[in-house]
Amino acid sequence: MKNSTHKLLEQKGKRRISMLTAYDFHTACTIDEAGIDMILVGDSLGNVMLGYENTLAVTVEDMIHHGKAVCRGAKNAFVVIDMPFMSYQGSVYDAVMNAGRILKETNCQAVKLEGGAEYADRIRAIVQAGIPVVAHLGLTPQSFNTLGGYKVQGKSLAVAQKLLADAQAVTEAGAFAITLECVPEALAKLITERTSALTIGIGAGKYCDGQVLVYQDMLGYTDGFTPKFVKKYADLHSVMLEAFKQYKAECEAQTFPAPEHTFGIDDEVMGKLY
Ligand code: KIV
C-alpha cells in the first residue's frame, strides 16, 4: 500500500521514518523493495547525476524527467520531488504552477522547497491547491551564496531562534514535514518537539522523526569528499572500479565474450554465405 501523508504523520513519536534520494527507475525499485518509507528526488541530482558544481542550474524539466522514472519504480514509498532554484522564489503563482506541473507530470506525492517564514505564503498556496509540501530548513543549498557556503546552521542564538520561528511558520502554513539539514542535534530535537510536522534530518542528529541521505553518499559511489554526517553503508566505487578494470582487461585479452555469452548459427547456413 502506498504511503500517504496521514500514515507518515501517524508515525511521529512512534517509529522513525527512513528516506533516501533516488533519481532513476532501478534505484527507486531497490529502495522501495527495501521498505524505505520515503524517496526524495532531490535537486542534488545537479551534483550527483548531472555533474554540476551546485544545484542552481537544475530545471523543472530535469526534476520532472527524473521524477517520472522514480515514481514508476516506487510502488509503496512516498515520493517527494524538489522544486528547483527559481521555480518558486519569484511569486506565489510560479510556486503553485510549478508544483502543480511536477505533481501532474510525475505522479509524485509531494514537493519540497527550501526556506522558512519568507516562503510561508508559497507553502500555504501549494497546500491549498491540494499538493502536500515538505519544507527545508537549516543549510539550504540553493542559498549557498547568501549563506556564505555550506555550513552548519543554528549555532548562534539569533539563527537558532530564527530556525525555531521558521519551523513554526512553515508548519502553520501547512507543511507536513520539514527537512532539517546541518542543524545541531539539540536544536533539531527542540524543533522536533515543538512542531507537529515530521522532521527529517540530514546532519541533524538522532532526535529527528526521520533521516534522509543521498543514496550515492551512503553507498560510497564516489571516492570524493564525504560530509561528516554521512555513514557509508557500502563501497560501490571500489566494486564498480574493479569491475570496469576487469572488463577492459578481458576485452583486450579476448576472454570476454566467452562461449556462454555468444549466439551460434548452423555451419550449413554459414557455409552458404562464403
Ligand atoms: O537535494 C537533496 O538531495 C536534498 C537532501 C540533501 C535533503 O535536499
Side-chain angles (χ1 to χ4, degrees):
M1 265 288 270
K2 194 86 180 160
N3 261 325
S4 65
T5 53
H6 292 84
K7 278 200 240 164
L8 291 167
L9 278 165
E10 276 171 16
Q11 304 304 317
K12 189 170 171 91
K14 295 185 190 148
R15 179 181 70 83
R16 294 290 202 258
I17 299 295
S18 52
M19 186 187 214
L20 283 173
T21 66
Y23 317 91
D24 66 277
F25 173 73
H26 283 299
T27 308
C29 288
T30 310
I31 290 174
D32 198 69
E33 193 183 336
I36 301 289
D37 298 295
M38 300 173 82
I39 295 180
L40 172 65
V41 187
D43 62 352
S44 50
L45 84 86
N47 308 89
V48 297
M49 298 296 289
L50 304 178
Y52 296 137
E53 265 182 32
N54 55 56
T55 59
L56 301 190
V58 175
T59 63
V60 171
E61 282 68 29
D62 291 333
M63 297 310 302
I64 289 175
H65 179 72
H66 288 265
K68 275 180 175 172
V70 168
C71 289
R72 284 192 286 265
K75 299 281 172 280
N76 300 309
F78 184 98
V79 180
V80 181
I81 300 187
D82 260 345
M83 298 194 68
F85 183 56
M86 292 319 291
S87 67
Y88 60 92
Q89 284 90 343
S91 67
V92 171
Y93 178 82
D94 281 355
V96 175
M97 296 312 283
N98 283 316
R101 245 198 95 189
I102 291 171
L103 195 91
K104 275 174 82 144
E105 295 184 33
T106 65
N107 204 25
C108 71
Q109 281 72 56
V111 297
K112 174 164 86 58
L113 58 86
E114 296 182 7
E118 64 279 21
Y119 292 116
D121 56 354
R122 273 68 161 176
I123 294 171
R124 189 168 291 109
I126 296 171
V127 174
Q128 263 168 20
I131 303 167
V133 174
V134 178
H136 183 149
L137 301 176
L139 171 53
T140 46
Q142 291 176 17
S143 312
F144 76 93
N145 281 311
T146 44
L147 290 177
Y150 299 94
K151 297 176 187 160
V152 177
Q153 300 294 309
K155 287 194 162 209
S156 70
L157 178 62
V159 179
Q161 282 172 333
K162 178 167 178 356
L163 279 174
L164 279 165
D166 280 341
Q168 193 180 339
V170 298
T171 306
E172 281 169 10
F176 81 96
I178 306 171
T179 303
L180 294 175
E181 180 165 354
C182 290
V183 173
E185 184 172 72
L187 178 58
K189 180 172 185 280
L190 190 58
I191 294 172
T192 302
E193 286 163 2
R194 288 201 182 164
T195 177
S196 55
L198 287 170
T199 57
I200 312 283
I202 175 161
K206 66 178 177 188
Y207 299 105
C208 295
D209 296 309
Q211 298 293 327
V212 58
L213 283 175
V214 170
Y215 91 85
Q216 285 91 340
D217 288 345
M218 60 90 76
L219 290 183
Y221 212 86
T222 71
D223 63 352
F225 168 74
T226 305
K228 174 182 162 79
F229 55 78
V230 171
K231 176 173 174 182
K232 279 195 185 182
Y233 288 82
D235 182 8
L236 277 203
H237 178 72
S238 302
V239 173
M240 288 167 66
L241 189 64
E242 260 329 292
F244 296 155
K245 282 182 176 170
Q246 193 180 337
Y247 170 69
K248 173 182 161 63
E250 291 187 11
C251 287
E252 287 174 6
Q254 296 177 46
T255 51
F256 177 82
E260 65 268 28
H261 309 120
T262 306
F263 301 103
I265 184 171
D266 280 347
D267 288 346
E268 197 189 327
V269 176
M270 276 311 293
K272 289 184 180 151
L273 295 175
Y274 283 98

PDB file of all heavy atoms in Angstrom, residues 21 23 40-45 55 82 112 114 136 141 179 181 202 212-214, ligand 1:
ATOM      1  N   THR A  21      17.399   9.496  -1.235  1.00  0.00           N
ATOM      2  CA  THR A  21      17.192  10.116  -2.544  1.00  0.00           C
ATOM      3  C   THR A  21      17.228   9.019  -3.611  1.00  0.00           C
ATOM      4  O   THR A  21      17.811   7.950  -3.406  1.00  0.00           O
ATOM      5  CB  THR A  21      18.288  11.144  -2.886  1.00  0.00           C
ATOM      6  OG1 THR A  21      19.536  10.467  -3.044  1.00  0.00           O
ATOM      7  CG2 THR A  21      18.392  12.235  -1.838  1.00  0.00           C
ATOM      8  N   TYR A  23      17.035   8.981  -8.272  1.00  0.00           N
ATOM      9  CA  TYR A  23      16.904   9.827  -9.471  1.00  0.00           C
ATOM     10  C   TYR A  23      16.584   8.989 -10.707  1.00  0.00           C
ATOM     11  O   TYR A  23      16.502   9.509 -11.803  1.00  0.00           O
ATOM     12  CB  TYR A  23      18.211  10.613  -9.715  1.00  0.00           C
ATOM     13  CG  TYR A  23      18.782  11.195  -8.449  1.00  0.00           C
ATOM     14  CD1 TYR A  23      19.705  10.476  -7.690  1.00  0.00           C
ATOM     15  CD2 TYR A  23      18.375  12.448  -7.992  1.00  0.00           C
ATOM     16  CE1 TYR A  23      20.214  10.985  -6.505  1.00  0.00           C
ATOM     17  CE2 TYR A  23      18.878  12.960  -6.812  1.00  0.00           C
ATOM     18  CZ  TYR A  23      19.789  12.225  -6.069  1.00  0.00           C
ATOM     19  OH  TYR A  23      20.287  12.728  -4.890  1.00  0.00           O
ATOM     20  N   LEU A  40      13.194  10.807  -1.947  1.00  0.00           N
ATOM     21  CA  LEU A  40      13.321  12.210  -2.353  1.00  0.00           C
ATOM     22  C   LEU A  40      14.048  12.276  -3.693  1.00  0.00           C
ATOM     23  O   LEU A  40      15.182  11.800  -3.811  1.00  0.00           O
ATOM     24  CB  LEU A  40      14.134  12.994  -1.308  1.00  0.00           C
ATOM     25  CG  LEU A  40      14.501  14.430  -1.707  1.00  0.00           C
ATOM     26  CD1 LEU A  40      13.247  15.295  -1.854  1.00  0.00           C
ATOM     27  CD2 LEU A  40      15.455  15.053  -0.693  1.00  0.00           C
ATOM     28  N   VAL A  41      13.375  12.848  -4.691  1.00  0.00           N
ATOM     29  CA  VAL A  41      14.081  13.186  -5.927  1.00  0.00           C
ATOM     30  C   VAL A  41      14.635  14.581  -5.659  1.00  0.00           C
ATOM     31  O   VAL A  41      13.961  15.590  -5.863  1.00  0.00           O
ATOM     32  CB  VAL A  41      13.150  13.156  -7.158  1.00  0.00           C
ATOM     33  CG1 VAL A  41      13.954  13.346  -8.432  1.00  0.00           C
ATOM     34  CG2 VAL A  41      12.360  11.847  -7.209  1.00  0.00           C
ATOM     35  N   GLY A  42      15.841  14.614  -5.097  1.00  0.00           N
ATOM     36  CA  GLY A  42      16.424  15.882  -4.668  1.00  0.00           C
ATOM     37  C   GLY A  42      17.008  16.649  -5.846  1.00  0.00           C
ATOM     38  O   GLY A  42      17.401  16.049  -6.852  1.00  0.00           O
ATOM     39  N   ASP A  43      17.079  17.975  -5.678  1.00  0.00           N
ATOM     40  CA  ASP A  43      17.770  18.734  -6.733  1.00  0.00           C
ATOM     41  C   ASP A  43      19.277  18.511  -6.625  1.00  0.00           C
ATOM     42  O   ASP A  43      20.052  18.994  -7.454  1.00  0.00           O
ATOM     43  CB  ASP A  43      17.390  20.223  -6.720  1.00  0.00           C
ATOM     44  CG  ASP A  43      17.765  20.937  -5.439  1.00  0.00           C
ATOM     45  OD1 ASP A  43      18.193  20.263  -4.469  1.00  0.00           O
ATOM     46  OD2 ASP A  43      17.616  22.178  -5.394  1.00  0.00           O
ATOM     47  N   SER A  44      19.696  17.712  -5.622  1.00  0.00           N
ATOM     48  CA  SER A  44      21.080  17.238  -5.572  1.00  0.00           C
ATOM     49  C   SER A  44      21.405  16.448  -6.833  1.00  0.00           C
ATOM     50  O   SER A  44      22.571  16.151  -7.095  1.00  0.00           O
ATOM     51  CB  SER A  44      21.308  16.361  -4.334  1.00  0.00           C
ATOM     52  OG  SER A  44      20.311  15.357  -4.239  1.00  0.00           O
ATOM     53  N   LEU A  45      20.408  16.132  -7.626  1.00  0.00           N
ATOM     54  CA  LEU A  45      20.676  15.454  -8.896  1.00  0.00           C
ATOM     55  C   LEU A  45      21.604  16.308  -9.752  1.00  0.00           C
ATOM     56  O   LEU A  45      22.363  15.769 -10.577  1.00  0.00           O
ATOM     57  CB  LEU A  45      19.389  15.077  -9.638  1.00  0.00           C
ATOM     58  CG  LEU A  45      18.644  16.058 -10.533  1.00  0.00           C
ATOM     59  CD1 LEU A  45      19.191  16.083 -11.952  1.00  0.00           C
ATOM     60  CD2 LEU A  45      17.175  15.660 -10.594  1.00  0.00           C
ATOM     61  N   THR A  55      23.431  23.173  -7.099  1.00  0.00           N
ATOM     62  CA  THR A  55      22.087  22.785  -7.564  1.00  0.00           C
ATOM     63  C   THR A  55      21.395  23.884  -8.389  1.00  0.00           C
ATOM     64  O   THR A  55      20.279  23.667  -8.871  1.00  0.00           O
ATOM     65  CB  THR A  55      21.188  22.451  -6.354  1.00  0.00           C
ATOM     66  OG1 THR A  55      21.100  23.610  -5.505  1.00  0.00           O
ATOM     67  CG2 THR A  55      21.737  21.280  -5.566  1.00  0.00           C
ATOM     68  N   ASP A  82      11.884  17.700  -5.334  1.00  0.00           N
ATOM     69  CA  ASP A  82      12.356  19.054  -5.030  1.00  0.00           C
ATOM     70  C   ASP A  82      11.897  20.055  -6.074  1.00  0.00           C
ATOM     71  O   ASP A  82      11.931  19.776  -7.277  1.00  0.00           O
ATOM     72  CB  ASP A  82      13.893  19.076  -5.011  1.00  0.00           C
ATOM     73  CG  ASP A  82      14.459  19.016  -3.608  1.00  0.00           C
ATOM     74  OD1 ASP A  82      13.702  19.243  -2.639  1.00  0.00           O
ATOM     75  OD2 ASP A  82      15.663  18.741  -3.483  1.00  0.00           O
ATOM     76  N   LYS A 112       9.015  19.534  -2.365  1.00  0.00           N
ATOM     77  CA  LYS A 112       9.808  20.126  -1.269  1.00  0.00           C
ATOM     78  C   LYS A 112      10.383  21.455  -1.752  1.00  0.00           C
ATOM     79  O   LYS A 112      10.803  21.559  -2.909  1.00  0.00           O
ATOM     80  CB  LYS A 112      10.936  19.169  -0.855  1.00  0.00           C
ATOM     81  CG  LYS A 112      11.905  19.759   0.179  1.00  0.00           C
ATOM     82  CD  LYS A 112      12.763  18.705   0.857  1.00  0.00           C
ATOM     83  CE  LYS A 112      14.029  18.335   0.127  1.00  0.00           C
ATOM     84  NZ  LYS A 112      14.966  19.442  -0.132  1.00  0.00           N
ATOM     85  N   GLU A 114      12.892  24.954  -0.342  1.00  0.00           N
ATOM     86  CA  GLU A 114      13.817  25.448   0.684  1.00  0.00           C
ATOM     87  C   GLU A 114      13.363  26.806   1.196  1.00  0.00           C
ATOM     88  O   GLU A 114      12.979  27.673   0.410  1.00  0.00           O
ATOM     89  CB  GLU A 114      15.231  25.570   0.088  1.00  0.00           C
ATOM     90  CG  GLU A 114      15.802  24.237  -0.342  1.00  0.00           C
ATOM     91  CD  GLU A 114      17.226  24.345  -0.900  1.00  0.00           C
ATOM     92  OE1 GLU A 114      17.834  25.441  -0.841  1.00  0.00           O
ATOM     93  OE2 GLU A 114      17.716  23.327  -1.408  1.00  0.00           O
ATOM     94  N   HIS A 136      12.182  22.868   3.868  1.00  0.00           N
ATOM     95  CA  HIS A 136      13.603  22.504   4.043  1.00  0.00           C
ATOM     96  C   HIS A 136      14.286  23.682   4.742  1.00  0.00           C
ATOM     97  O   HIS A 136      14.346  24.786   4.191  1.00  0.00           O
ATOM     98  CB  HIS A 136      14.211  22.238   2.651  1.00  0.00           C
ATOM     99  CG  HIS A 136      15.636  21.778   2.665  1.00  0.00           C
ATOM    100  ND1 HIS A 136      16.149  20.933   1.699  1.00  0.00           N
ATOM    101  CD2 HIS A 136      16.668  22.031   3.498  1.00  0.00           C
ATOM    102  CE1 HIS A 136      17.422  20.692   1.950  1.00  0.00           C
ATOM    103  NE2 HIS A 136      17.767  21.359   3.026  1.00  0.00           N
ATOM    104  N   PRO A 141      20.862  24.516   0.331  1.00  0.00           N
ATOM    105  CA  PRO A 141      21.917  24.650  -0.683  1.00  0.00           C
ATOM    106  C   PRO A 141      21.610  25.654  -1.798  1.00  0.00           C
ATOM    107  O   PRO A 141      22.531  26.237  -2.366  1.00  0.00           O
ATOM    108  CB  PRO A 141      22.057  23.232  -1.245  1.00  0.00           C
ATOM    109  CG  PRO A 141      21.601  22.347  -0.131  1.00  0.00           C
ATOM    110  CD  PRO A 141      20.500  23.104   0.550  1.00  0.00           C
ATOM    111  N   THR A 179      12.498  19.129   6.305  1.00  0.00           N
ATOM    112  CA  THR A 179      13.865  18.607   6.249  1.00  0.00           C
ATOM    113  C   THR A 179      14.749  19.569   7.034  1.00  0.00           C
ATOM    114  O   THR A 179      14.688  20.786   6.818  1.00  0.00           O
ATOM    115  CB  THR A 179      14.362  18.549   4.784  1.00  0.00           C
ATOM    116  OG1 THR A 179      13.453  17.751   4.037  1.00  0.00           O
ATOM    117  CG2 THR A 179      15.742  17.939   4.689  1.00  0.00           C
ATOM    118  N   GLU A 181      18.583  20.329   7.590  1.00  0.00           N
ATOM    119  CA  GLU A 181      19.911  19.976   7.070  1.00  0.00           C
ATOM    120  C   GLU A 181      21.000  20.716   7.850  1.00  0.00           C
ATOM    121  O   GLU A 181      20.953  21.950   7.983  1.00  0.00           O
ATOM    122  CB  GLU A 181      20.003  20.313   5.570  1.00  0.00           C
ATOM    123  CG  GLU A 181      21.373  19.953   4.984  1.00  0.00           C
ATOM    124  CD  GLU A 181      21.414  19.919   3.464  1.00  0.00           C
ATOM    125  OE1 GLU A 181      20.365  20.071   2.816  1.00  0.00           O
ATOM    126  OE2 GLU A 181      22.528  19.737   2.932  1.00  0.00           O
ATOM    127  N   ILE A 202      19.115  15.542   8.075  1.00  0.00           N
ATOM    128  CA  ILE A 202      20.336  15.152   7.348  1.00  0.00           C
ATOM    129  C   ILE A 202      21.428  15.992   7.994  1.00  0.00           C
ATOM    130  O   ILE A 202      21.447  17.222   7.861  1.00  0.00           O
ATOM    131  CB  ILE A 202      20.196  15.320   5.812  1.00  0.00           C
ATOM    132  CG1 ILE A 202      21.538  15.023   5.114  1.00  0.00           C
ATOM    133  CG2 ILE A 202      19.649  16.678   5.399  1.00  0.00           C
ATOM    134  CD1 ILE A 202      21.424  14.716   3.634  1.00  0.00           C
ATOM    135  N   VAL A 212      17.286  11.309   6.258  1.00  0.00           N
ATOM    136  CA  VAL A 212      17.436  11.209   4.806  1.00  0.00           C
ATOM    137  C   VAL A 212      18.917  11.270   4.464  1.00  0.00           C
ATOM    138  O   VAL A 212      19.683  11.980   5.124  1.00  0.00           O
ATOM    139  CB  VAL A 212      16.638  12.320   4.059  1.00  0.00           C
ATOM    140  CG1 VAL A 212      17.046  13.724   4.457  1.00  0.00           C
ATOM    141  CG2 VAL A 212      16.753  12.156   2.541  1.00  0.00           C
ATOM    142  N   LEU A 213      19.321  10.500   3.472  1.00  0.00           N
ATOM    143  CA  LEU A 213      20.688  10.580   2.936  1.00  0.00           C
ATOM    144  C   LEU A 213      20.612  10.535   1.418  1.00  0.00           C
ATOM    145  O   LEU A 213      19.668   9.982   0.843  1.00  0.00           O
ATOM    146  CB  LEU A 213      21.552   9.407   3.421  1.00  0.00           C
ATOM    147  CG  LEU A 213      22.079   9.463   4.861  1.00  0.00           C
ATOM    148  CD1 LEU A 213      22.822   8.164   5.209  1.00  0.00           C
ATOM    149  CD2 LEU A 213      22.994  10.670   5.100  1.00  0.00           C
ATOM    150  N   VAL A 214      21.632  11.108   0.781  1.00  0.00           N
ATOM    151  CA  VAL A 214      21.780  10.990  -0.669  1.00  0.00           C
ATOM    152  C   VAL A 214      22.326   9.581  -0.925  1.00  0.00           C
ATOM    153  O   VAL A 214      23.320   9.182  -0.325  1.00  0.00           O
ATOM    154  CB  VAL A 214      22.754  12.075  -1.193  1.00  0.00           C
ATOM    155  CG1 VAL A 214      23.120  11.847  -2.655  1.00  0.00           C
ATOM    156  CG2 VAL A 214      22.125  13.464  -1.008  1.00  0.00           C
TER     157      VAL A 214
HETATM  158  O1  KIV B   1      18.520  17.660  -2.843  1.00  0.00           O
HETATM  159  C1  KIV B   1      18.655  16.863  -1.902  1.00  0.00           C
HETATM  160  O2  KIV B   1      19.155  15.732  -2.054  1.00  0.00           O
HETATM  161  C2  KIV B   1      18.216  17.291  -0.586  1.00  0.00           C
HETATM  162  C3  KIV B   1      18.676  16.463   0.576  1.00  0.00           C
HETATM  163  C4  KIV B   1      20.089  16.811   0.879  1.00  0.00           C
HETATM  164  C5  KIV B   1      17.790  16.612   1.738  1.00  0.00           C
HETATM  165  O3  KIV B   1      17.552  18.266  -0.448  1.00  0.00           O
END
